[in-house]
Amino acid sequence: MPNERGVRMTDGRTTGSARAFELLEPLVQAATVRVHAPPGGYDNPRSHRTGPTWGSGFFIAPGWVLTCAHVVGEGGAAVRLTGREVGITFSAGSITGTVTGRVECVLPERLEERRPGRHALWDLPDLALIRVLAPVSHACVWLTDRSRPRFDEVAYFGCTEDLGTPEITGRTTRLRGTAGNGAAIRLGDDDEIEAGMSGGPVVDLVRGEVVGVLKARRQAGGGGLAVSVVQLRTLPMAARGQVGLYRRIMQAHDLYHYDQHLSDLDNRRTWTDVHGELPPEEGDPYAGRGRLTPGERTTLFGLLAELPPPGSSEVVRALVEEARGEEPDPLPPAPLSWRDGLGLLHDPPGGTAEAAAMLRYATDVSVAEYREPVTPGADEELWDWVRATAERLWRPLRRELGERHERGLAERERRRRASAGRAVHGPARRSGGLPPGASVLLEVWAHGWEDLYDWRVSVLAGPAHAGRVTPVDSGVRATLAGLPEALRAPLAEGFRRCDTHEAAALLEVAVAPALFGLAVDEWVVVGGVPLGVQRPVVLRHPAGANPAVANPAVANPGGANPGGAREHPADREGTDASARWARVQAGPLQDERADCIRGRPRSPATEWLTGLPDNTVPVHCRAADQEPTLGSLHAVRDAGYGVVVTRRPPPDPGASCAPFHRGLREELADAGRAEVLPVRLQNLRGRAYGADPDAYWAAGTGLVWEDPARPLPEEEPLQGDL
């Protein structure tokens, strides 16, 4: 039977979870809202009444409400979601207020272009972020920092009308598993989920944190689906030099709870207070010891939020690996904030105390390189707190962290001197070149002899960690036409891991030469802008590919290494290819038509290719999957050329290639050296995308870029299922 709060406690429910519900219910209800049409808006002209309930939502930071995209999509496919105004009714103590909010963005972004029909399930993650359009005082929930939920007892909250009027109520159930590669959470059938509850919070009763957003109920059998709040990390990335929406919101979230924890203006329970009163977790290996206290954790989140955000996801992952002692979970979505790094340090391996791992991480963050100048004293305040907390836990840990801090300060000073040109170890990257960090690697290969393709997306570490590869996702049996949609989410995840506040990461497309015409630079992944406009995109020969096997027309006449893997000649130091790479990087550049003479096709002779100057850039203007261009691409690779230009020819077969060759010659002369070509080609694509007629000649241009400092993974990809 339901209790007086409208919550049905099923038989066998432990007193521990019942107590947790009692403690958490007031906090969650205070932050949960009803979503409806805006007062006096289009749906309610000349009226201040709120109208019917569309769904629920909840405040995650001051001025920001999280809900489901299908909730704000009430009204049909003709309604544009982003920018739409909605009404939000919430409670502040004994007072109920209604404000207007505007939808800031929806996830996935393609919902603006294509959304399901009525009563159909919306694509994951099905989230909408609403910005409140007036300054109001309200409560906020506590969001989990864990990258994946634990399968424990939870409560879900939302707007119901059991007694004839809208109110926020809660029910309890258990998490039963995940779906959608971890984006969705399955809810048990312990209680019913009503329609108006969609968009409400799902709360972990063991740890006292919101882990999901209620999405759907099953038509039969009870239970439903929620969306993991970690999917907030898939919010659109910021433009260069700006702080992304996710980082801004999480910073505001953590500072809100930090301020609430420190405030002594009233005696109302805070989330931090309740965390300290929750029943102990069953089977806790630390039995409460070896973990930060709730107050310490809130303070650490707040101190981290006062620092500038990390430069990239890879920075966070590297510090987590140092503190944890092993590589963190590579599954998406990538960690984007200092807070996300803490979420990867729960339950470290080898019996390491969780608190010790977090304090090591915080120490490293206090001496890290920030993307912008730090507020004076903020990093020192973090270190002072770490040192004091370490002494409470274990005094020898304080000495270890002190030594770690001193090493970090020395290393930071060395990096700053190096960036300023004093005590530089090797030449600094010249202006206009590629960023030195990690890149995203896309591999596509034919699925046997069928007209289907398998693929793999990875993060390829930069020259500082050459050969290190972190997998992101993979798939099989996709058509060429279906590749852009299949790769949209994996590529977006790779970019989140690699992009920095200074530059968009390089995308390396490793495919057989016959696929060099794949228009990856024209795909749209995020932001509505083609990839080739957003970032440098280059082509690469696949690792271990033997041209003699891939193209019998250029088979090795001597029969050496039949069917075996073969590295690119430029990978071997001291070879002609290595000399060609070094020479072409320094410039000046000399273009040479490889597959045509005055517009007519030709096959280049091996002797002619090997006799060209080392600063030559072979140029191809014809279709890569047809002869003579296919044979020429293999031939120039065998001759050791690491920088090669290709082109997808225009649809009109009678169009002259002269404008392309003329424009490219001028571009190479102006560039002067090859190291700037990937970025200059990106700029050319941007000009053409912006309707600059002087850049139209570059349409379809591709750049083969076999950088020996960025070796591809040696293992060959699997060829699909048997």
Side-chain angles (χ1 to χ4, degrees):
M1 293 292 293
N3 64 11
E4 65 273 13
R5 290 181 303 276
V7 180
R8 182 180 291 114
M9 292 294 182
T10 60
D11 293 338
R13 183 75 62 193
T14 66
T15 56
S17 62
R19 175 58 179 161
F21 186 95
E22 293 174 354
L23 291 169
L24 291 165
E25 182 187 31
L27 297 175
V28 183
Q29 285 181 324
T32 304
V33 306
R34 183 170 75 94
V35 181
H36 47 80
Y42 178 80
D43 297 321
N44 292 301
R46 298 182 301 278
S47 172
H48 293 286
R49 306 185 69 175
T50 60
T53 297
W54 293 356
S56 303
F58 51 99
F59 283 105
I60 58 174
W64 293 99
V65 170
L66 180 64
T67 184
C68 284
H70 74 263
V71 170
V72 300
E74 183 76 16
V79 178
R80 178 166 176 80
L81 301 179
T82 303
R84 187 184 192 189
E85 292 191 355
V86 300
I88 297 170
T89 296
F90 66 100
S91 297
S94 60
I95 302 174
T96 298
T98 297
V99 294
T100 300
R102 180 175 296 133
V103 179
E104 190 78 6
C105 65
V106 294
L107 296 172
E109 294 178 88
R110 64 177 178 273
L111 286 175
E112 293 289 11
E113 309 163 6
R114 183 179 70 256
R115 67 188 72 161
R118 189 170 179 82
H119 303 305
L121 207 61
W122 284 44
D123 293 347
L124 290 171
D126 186 19
L127 294 178
L129 197 61
I130 302 172
R131 179 163 52 92
V132 177
L133 299 183
V136 292
S137 177
H138 60 79
C140 298
V141 301
W142 179 286
L143 295 177
T144 183
D145 61 324
R146 297 173 183 265
S147 58
R148 60 180 68 192
R150 303 281 290 272
F151 299 137
D152 289 313
E153 292 180 282
V154 297
Y156 54 93
F157 293 79
C159 184
T160 60
E161 299 187 26
D162 293 338
L163 302 179
T165 58
E167 63 175 336
I168 304 300
T169 62
R171 290 95 188 271
T172 58
T173 186
R174 290 187 70 90
L175 298 185
R176 301 297 185 186
T178 61
N181 199 26
I185 307 168
R186 299 186 184 277
L187 301 177
D189 58 357
D190 302 72
D191 209 331
E192 61 182 327
I193 300 173
E194 299 187 24
M197 304 181 82
S198 187
V202 178
V203 186
D204 182 336
L205 290 176
V206 176
R207 294 161 195 84
E209 54 193 23
V210 172
V211 298
V213 184
L214 203 57
K215 171 177 169 60
R217 58 180 175 179
R218 295 189 183 93
Q219 296 299 324
L225 279 179
V227 180
S228 169
V229 294
V230 180
Q231 292 300 308
L232 278 172
R233 299 182 195 174
T234 66
L235 285 168
M237 298 292 287
R240 188 180 306 175
Q242 299 179 5
V243 178
L245 187 56
Y246 171 76
R247 286 168 172 155
R248 285 168 47 201
I249 289 175
M250 295 313 301
Q251 180 184 45
H253 167 279
D254 289 340
L255 290 176
Y256 166 84
H257 288 289
Y258 183 41
D259 293 341
Q260 292 286 309
H261 175 57
L262 296 181
S263 175
D264 56 2
L265 297 180
D266 59 56
N267 58 0
R268 287 179 295 181
R269 277 197 180 112
T270 67
W271 282 83
T272 305
D273 295 333
V274 168
H275 288 159
E277 299 176 33
L278 289 175
E281 181 179 349
E282 293 183 10
D284 182 1
Y286 303 105
R289 300 183 299 272
R291 297 188 190 274
L292 296 179
T293 67
E296 289 169 344
R297 188 173 62 152
T298 300
T299 301
L300 177 54
F301 281 145
L303 294 176
L304 291 175
E306 291 183 331
L307 296 173
S312 71
S313 173
E314 287 299 292
V315 170
V316 178
R317 289 180 60 85
L319 295 187
V320 169
E321 184 173 354
E322 285 290 325
R324 187 178 175 87
E326 68 175 9
E327 188 175 357
D329 186 352
L331 292 179
L336 300 179
S337 66
W338 300 125
R339 174 190 216 270
D340 297 342
L342 286 177
L344 295 172
L345 291 171
H346 292 288
D347 305 319
T352 304
E354 183 180 284
M358 291 186 172
L359 292 181
R360 293 186 183 102
Y361 172 79
T363 300
D364 292 345
V365 171
S366 74
V367 293
E369 285 289 349
Y370 307 117
R371 55 179 293 173
E372 58 193 43
V374 64
T375 302
D379 51 348
E380 296 173 1
E381 185 179 2
L382 173 60
W383 164 239
D384 289 342
W385 176 86
V386 168
R387 186 170 49 184
T389 306
E391 186 166 357
R392 177 191 69 79
L393 292 170
W394 189 38
R395 291 193 64 184
L397 179 63
R398 178 176 176 178
R399 183 177 64 182
E400 174 200 331
L401 296 178
E403 295 171 351
R404 193 183 192 101
H405 184 257
E406 290 299 322
R407 290 194 304 268
L409 287 176
E411 176 62 20
R412 184 168 68 178
E413 180 61 23
R414 188 198 66 79
R415 289 194 302 265
R416 289 177 176 176
R417 287 179 176 274
S419 64
R422 303 184 298 270
V424 178
H425 297 285
R429 180 170 69 96
R430 296 169 67 179
S431 176
L434 287 170
S439 61
V440 178
L441 173 64
L442 167 61
E443 299 168 276
V444 179
W445 62 95
H447 184 95
W449 297 105
E450 303 176 74
D451 193 19
L452 297 172
Y453 297 86
D454 301 341
W455 55 266
R456 179 171 62 187
V457 175
S458 311
V459 170
L460 190 62
H465 303 281
R468 181 172 177 177
V469 180
T470 304
V472 174
D473 202 355
S474 61
V476 298
R477 302 180 65 84
T479 63
L480 283 180
L483 278 174
E485 184 62 30
L487 287 161
R488 186 196 296 256
L491 286 175
E493 174 64 20
F495 299 148
R496 276 190 292 273
R497 296 189 185 188
C498 299
D499 286 352
T500 71
H501 66 287
E502 296 177 333
L506 170 70
L507 172 59
E508 304 188 62
V509 183
V511 292
L515 290 177
F516 279 2
L518 197 62
V520 178
D521 57 287
E522 296 182 355
W523 294 356
V524 176
V525 173
V526 291
V529 178
L531 282 177
V533 176
Q534 287 183 334
R535 64 190 63 251
V537 178
V538 299
L539 299 167
R540 298 198 65 170
H541 291 271
N546 187 347
V549 175
N551 183 30
V554 293
N556 185 346
N561 193 26
R566 186 161 68 189
E567 62 185 341
H568 189 277
D571 296 341
R572 299 188 296 270
E573 296 183 4
T575 63
D576 291 341
S578 178
R580 286 190 191 279
W581 177 264
R583 181 70 175 84
V584 79
Q585 294 303 303
L589 304 176
Q590 173 181 314
D591 67 298
E592 194 68 58
R593 300 189 187 193
D595 63 345
C596 84
I597 300 178
R598 299 185 184 89
R600 296 185 179 276
R602 72 131 171 219
S603 297
T606 301
E607 296 77 9
W608 177 75
L609 284 173
T610 56
L612 293 174
D614 288 343
N615 62 333
T616 299
V617 177
V619 179
H620 300 81
C621 64
R622 311 178 74 83
D625 60 346
Q626 299 176 17
E627 297 297 350
T629 305
L630 182 57
S632 177
L633 288 168
H634 287 295
V636 297
R637 179 180 188 271
D638 284 348
Y641 291 94
V643 179
V644 180
V645 174
T646 68
R647 183 181 73 142
R648 297 187 299 273
D652 181 6
S656 172
C657 62
F660 167 72
H661 288 289
R662 185 182 306 113
L664 182 62
R665 174 164 291 184
E666 293 174 357
E667 181 68 19
L668 294 181
D670 191 42
R673 63 192 195 279
E675 64 176 340
V676 301
L677 290 182
V679 176
R680 288 185 69 101
L681 180 55
Q682 177 194 359
N683 294 335
L684 272 173
R685 289 166 174 155
R687 287 170 52 195
Y689 182 73
D692 180 357
D694 292 337
Y696 287 166
W697 64 265
T701 300
L703 182 67
V704 181
W705 189 259
E706 298 289 354
D707 187 351
R710 296 177 180 271
L712 297 180
E714 295 181 358
E715 72 275 9
E716 294 188 16
L718 298 176
Q719 298 297 318
D721 297 328
L722 295 176

